[in-house]
Amino acid sequence: MNKKNKAPTTKTPKILKESKFSPFAIEIVKKLKRSGFQGYLVGGCVRDSLVGIKAKDFDVSTDATPEEIRKIFRSSRIIGKRFRLVHVFSRNELIEVSTFRANAKEENNSEVIKDAEGKILRDNVWGTLEEDCIRRDFSINALYFDPIENHLCDFHNGLQHIQKKILVSIGNPLIRFEEDPVRSLRAIRFSSKLKFKISNDVKEAIYQKGHLLANISNARMFDEFCKIFLTKNAFDNFKKLDSFGVLKYLVNSDGYEENSFSLKFQHAALINTDNRLKASKSVTPGFLIAALLWPRLIGASKEKGVLNLRKFFRNMDRIIREQQTLTAVPRKFHGYIKDIWSLQLKLETRLGHQPYKILNHPRFRAAYDFLLLREEAAEDTQGMGDWWTQFQKVNRPGKIELLKSLRESRSGPVEKKFGFFEELS
Ligand code: ATP
Ligand code: MG
């Protein structure tokens, strides 16, 4: 291949020259160039470096075909069918190297296949750098940086848009979002991550084409779910997704009133996730999904304001199944989510020796954190969180004392003994 083209070279900003790119990614670019091909760092790593954010992964783009790339790098593998590219490995790093692509000119080209709604199903026509640029989603994602020559290729004013902090589509967003509806989620995600405005035509396209997200595979939607909700901007993204009317494609939740427990609880869980990530603590999609779906589970399991246990346990499976049709939540999280939910009941009842067993339950910590979040959002907490905080802290005689005073405080009819989720009434 190796068709050279003239790229407009913008004056490379100092911040980019001084950015720390992965030495391995730079080595890959060098090797491609030594083999007579073009090679650029592209996408998120260039964009983030220009914005002053530490890049998290590095993508390389080249005019070498996957087979040619494969030949140059011994530790590499061709992957993907819809979008063929090459993974090049070092001992502790993986770099995605993709071949420049072009939009197919002929309707019947078998390397680009679209469905009836215009969605691209297969996309493997090679092209030039310029053609590759046009196919990227937003101008800020279409910056190509050659770290050897220190030059930046910018065909769509990406640099200017970074300076103006605005997200601009490459081409008509109505068509671009038809080709790939996930771009509307990406627009929202980047605007939260970078604190950029979304240009008006992109906003309009999200409103008009958001419904096409229903056609995206649940596996791809789960990937997006994680990028949206597990990268420090969950709360911002949640509010934006809701205001654009596309939250329902990611979360099986009803819309709740501004000051309701349900919405406050969802918000508390999202803020908690963001704070944990900012403090470099671990997060799991299981916990957040359990929280986002909790109001629906409780709402569907109540009868005349009282929780119906049979319904509660039956609804657990149904609600996970419904979420599954939206996002392919890996199996390993299903049990985890159900454990957190059912432990909420046990944390409240605290009968007999149960509390000792619960303390040793592998999901106790998650369930306890979940309870604290419920309390954070609820008006009347009944001191349950405090009780469990104490119960963990004190020694055996202290535990016996806590259980005794709990028993004494519970006199009256059975249904009055437990305030089963009154916060949701
Ligand atoms: P981040 O990795 O921070 O999520 P990113 O921009 O690197 O952001 P990736 O999904 O890693 O996002 O994609 C790398 C690049 O590939 C993007 O910058 C963009 O140029 C292009 N790209 C990715 N997904 C799409 C898409 N759906 N439509 C058009 N271009 C895309
Ligand atoms: Mg990336």
Side-chain angles (χ1 to χ4, degrees):
M1 210 162 95
N2 199 13
K3 238 190 306 169
K4 291 259 161 30
N5 64 334
K6 273 226 167 316
T9 41
T10 316
K11 189 166 182 301
T12 306
K14 201 158 155 251
I15 188 170
L16 202 56
K17 290 186 199 158
E18 290 168 358
S19 288
K20 285 203 172 57
F21 291 106
S22 144
F24 182 51
I26 294 177
E27 192 50 43
I28 291 175
V29 171
K30 254 190 208 156
K31 228 170 165 178
L32 283 166
K33 293 182 79 157
R34 269 206 307 268
S35 310
F37 297 103
Q38 299 174 63
Y40 293 93
L41 295 172
V42 66
C45 67
V46 181
R47 176 200 67 217
D48 289 353
S49 302
L50 283 165
V51 174
I53 299 175
K54 194 167 176 276
K56 67 171 172 49
D57 50 31
F58 299 87
D59 297 319
V60 170
S61 206
T62 176
D63 59 345
T65 63
E67 288 71 21
E68 286 167 336
I69 303 166
R70 175 75 194 84
K71 271 190 209 144
I72 297 171
F73 302 98
R74 222 170 344 132
S75 300
S76 67
R77 191 170 58 208
I78 299 178
I79 63 142
K81 197 170 168 193
R82 190 182 83 96
F83 195 94
R84 289 179 77 218
L85 51 82
V86 185
H87 279 170
V88 182
F89 314 91
S90 70
R91 198 178 307 167
N92 46 19
E93 228 179 323
L94 182 160
I95 305 286
E96 280 192 2
V97 183
S98 56
T99 307
F100 296 153
R101 279 162 166 79
N103 286 320
K105 288 171 195 79
E106 299 150 42
E107 277 294 307
N108 294 326
N109 191 320
S110 68
E111 293 304 320
V112 172
I113 301 175
K114 292 188 182 184
D115 73 2
E117 262 131 354
K119 188 173 85 182
I120 295 178
L121 302 176
R122 191 158 167 210
D123 193 3
N124 291 315
V125 175
W126 315 137
T128 61
L129 169 60
E130 195 166 3
E131 286 167 328
D132 193 69
C133 252
I134 295 176
R135 303 179 54 274
R136 296 192 177 258
D137 45 6
F138 304 106
S139 64
I140 60 167
N141 287 344
L143 290 160
Y144 295 65
F145 181 55
D146 175 341
I148 318 298
E149 311 287 333
N150 254 330
H151 81 239
L152 182 69
C153 301
D154 179 9
F155 289 90
H156 299 277
N157 297 324
L159 193 55
Q160 195 192 15
H161 296 148
I162 284 181
Q163 279 149 4
K164 288 190 176 162
K165 294 179 175 289
I166 186 157
L167 204 76
V168 175
S169 166
I170 296 178
N172 180 348
L174 290 170
I175 297 170
R176 302 306 312 279
F177 289 13
E178 260 171 23
E179 286 170 4
D180 182 3
V182 171
R183 289 172 185 152
S184 58
L185 298 180
R186 290 171 58 85
I188 292 170
R189 178 159 67 84
F190 294 132
S191 85
S192 301
K193 172 177 170 169
L194 308 168
K195 313 275 178 279
F196 277 23
K197 288 192 296 273
I198 301 178
S199 63
N200 288 337
D201 60 343
V202 170
K203 279 188 188 161
E204 189 52 36
I206 305 176
Y207 287 122
Q208 284 195 33
K209 301 294 173 184
H211 66 278
L212 296 174
L213 285 165
N215 304 335
I216 302 296
S217 77
N218 63 350
R220 188 155 178 230
M221 289 297 271
F222 182 71
D223 286 347
E224 273 309 307
F225 178 99
C226 293
K227 290 183 186 169
I228 286 172
F229 291 120
L230 301 175
T231 51
K232 300 185 191 165
N233 299 295
F235 182 49
D236 248 21
N237 278 325
F238 185 86
K239 286 187 296 180
K240 282 188 192 154
L241 289 162
D242 195 24
S243 74
F244 279 109
V246 292
L247 183 62
K248 60 176 181 276
Y249 301 107
L250 283 168
V251 184
N252 174 30
S253 166
D254 297 309
Y256 301 109
E257 298 279 315
E258 197 52 51
N259 272 319
S260 62
F261 164 78
S262 300
L263 191 63
K264 281 199 270 181
F265 176 68
Q266 287 180 326
H267 284 181
L270 294 157
I271 293 168
N272 178 254
T273 304
D274 289 343
N275 289 341
R276 286 186 67 92
L277 285 166
K278 285 174 197 161
S280 304
K281 292 186 187 164
S282 65
V283 293
T284 124
F287 186 90
L288 187 63
I289 290 170
L292 293 174
L293 304 185
W294 174 251
R296 191 183 187 93
L297 172 65
I298 295 302
S301 309
K302 280 187 136 187
E303 238 166 40
K304 297 190 186 122
V306 178
L307 195 79
N308 177 318
L309 290 185
R310 207 175 320 128
K311 272 191 169 178
F312 179 88
F313 287 107
R314 213 181 318 123
N315 284 333
M316 288 206 303
D317 285 311
R318 178 178 60 81
I319 282 170
I320 292 179
R321 239 188 352 263
E322 285 169 7
Q323 178 64 34
Q324 197 68 5
T325 62
L326 301 178
T327 62
V329 183
R331 284 247 149 245
K332 63 180 177 194
F333 294 121
H334 297 196
Y336 176 92
I337 294 169
K338 288 197 272 184
D339 277 351
I340 291 183
W341 286 343
S342 42
L343 275 167
Q344 297 308 301
L345 305 186
K346 291 186 179 154
L347 289 174
E348 178 147 5
T349 52
R350 292 164 281 175
L351 291 174
H353 281 276
Q354 242 185 21
Y356 296 105
K357 273 201 219 149
I358 296 174
L359 272 190
N360 292 321
H361 193 290
R363 307 274 178 254
F364 168 74
R365 186 68 218 189
Y368 166 71
D369 287 345
F370 196 93
L371 168 67
L372 295 185
L373 281 181
R374 283 175 50 212
E375 295 208 333
E376 201 182 308
E379 253 106 73
D380 179 13
T381 63
Q382 302 173 14
M384 230 200 308
D386 272 353
W387 191 93
W388 277 102
T389 309
Q390 286 303 319
F391 195 73
Q392 289 173 75
K393 249 195 241 160
V394 297
N395 57 14
R396 182 88 182 176
K399 285 186 170 52
I400 293 171
E401 201 47 48
L402 275 168
L403 283 167
K404 193 166 149 242
S405 42
L406 181 68
R407 261 195 313 275
E408 283 165 5
S409 70
R410 283 173 169 170
S411 50
V414 175
E415 63 274 19
K416 283 266 169 74
K417 281 183 188 170
F418 315 119
F420 276 135
F421 315 119
E422 277 176 4
E423 72 264 33
L424 279 145
S425 53

